Amino acid sequence: MNLIKTLMTILFILLTFQACSTKNNYRSESFNHNKSFPNKSTETTKEDLLYENLKAQYIDWKGVKYKYGGYSKNGIDCSAFVQRTFKDKLNIQIPRTTALQSEFGEEVSIEDLKMGDLVFFKTGFKVRHVGIYLEGGKFLHASTKRGVTISRLDNPYYEKHFWKVIRVLD
């Protein structure tokens, strides 16, 4: 376990020194399929820790396939991935289902998005989808087509189906 932590730390340090230092406004970027974790911005210690925990979860779960009702690396659905991320990386218990997660915290405007906020989408008549907002217009989620991935809020699909933002973290 210590070897894995050491390797993850070394990998993070190498990636940090090679990362681009500019921060783009997500509306000015194209509707590309950039799946990379957003570059770290200059934030307070609390945000630094949140960033590192979300990045570690992404690295650990990237590409795990979507499975409705799933809760493991054999397959996971969007609300289970969000619940596991909050439990495993942030030590916060949140509800298991998208319906309950959408009522769990405080609703905020999309203009006030902060890292760690839950972003919700209405993708069908009674179908809901959830992800965790990162930075730069990107969010982390378990996609039905790509598994655990990073997508953009300005992707036409997600822009069309956007529903609301819930803030769970202070």
Side-chain angles (χ1 to χ4, degrees):
M1 191 60 148
N2 286 336
L3 178 62
I4 292 173
K5 286 183 180 179
T6 303
L7 290 173
M8 293 297 288
T9 302
I10 291 169
L11 177 63
F12 171 73
I13 290 169
L14 289 173
L15 291 174
T16 300
F17 288 124
Q18 293 178 357
C20 175
S21 63
T22 60
K23 183 175 178 183
N24 294 324
N25 180 321
Y26 75 91
R27 288 289 176 192
S28 68
E29 292 179 354
S30 66
F31 295 105
N32 65 23
H33 299 285
N34 182 355
K35 305 293 184 227
S36 64
F37 209 84
N39 289 332
K40 186 171 182 278
S41 64
T42 310
E43 301 288 341
T44 65
T45 304
K46 187 176 179 180
E47 283 78 19
D48 287 344
L49 183 58
L50 175 59
Y51 175 90
E52 295 306 326
N53 284 325
L54 292 175
K55 185 172 185 175
Q57 186 76 339
Y58 172 64
I59 290 168
D60 197 32
W61 285 78
K62 182 180 178 181
V64 170
K65 69 179 179 173
Y66 181 93
K67 180 180 180 186
Y68 182 75
Y71 199 77
S72 72
K73 289 194 176 176
N74 293 325
I76 194 162
D77 65 28
C78 63
S79 60
F81 179 71
V82 167
Q83 184 189 44
R84 282 199 73 146
T85 300
F86 272 74
K87 179 182 174 225
D88 296 349
K89 297 298 182 185
L90 308 174
N91 200 27
I92 297 173
Q93 294 290 335
I94 65 170
R96 166 65 177 86
T97 66
T98 305
L100 292 174
Q101 289 172 0
S102 72
E103 299 171 357
F104 184 69
E106 172 189 357
E107 187 168 351
V108 296
S109 167
I110 192 168
E111 289 81 19
D112 295 324
L113 266 172
K114 288 178 27 179
M115 187 183 339
D117 287 346
L118 303 183
V119 287
F120 291 89
F121 306 88
K122 289 183 177 181
T123 57
F125 181 67
K126 290 188 176 185
V127 181
R128 305 295 181 256
H129 184 68
V130 62
I132 303 168
Y133 184 72
L134 300 171
E135 288 182 324
K138 295 179 181 182
F139 66 101
L140 176 61
H141 64 123
S143 161
T144 56
K145 292 184 180 179
R146 294 183 178 87
V148 175
T149 190
I150 294 173
S151 297
R152 298 189 48 81
L153 287 174
D154 63 0
N155 172 296
Y157 177 82
Y158 292 112
E159 207 168 40
K160 176 182 176 183
H161 295 288
F162 176 78
W163 176 26
K164 67 179 177 176
V165 177
I166 295 290
R167 180 156 300 147
V168 175
L169 304 172
D170 301 348

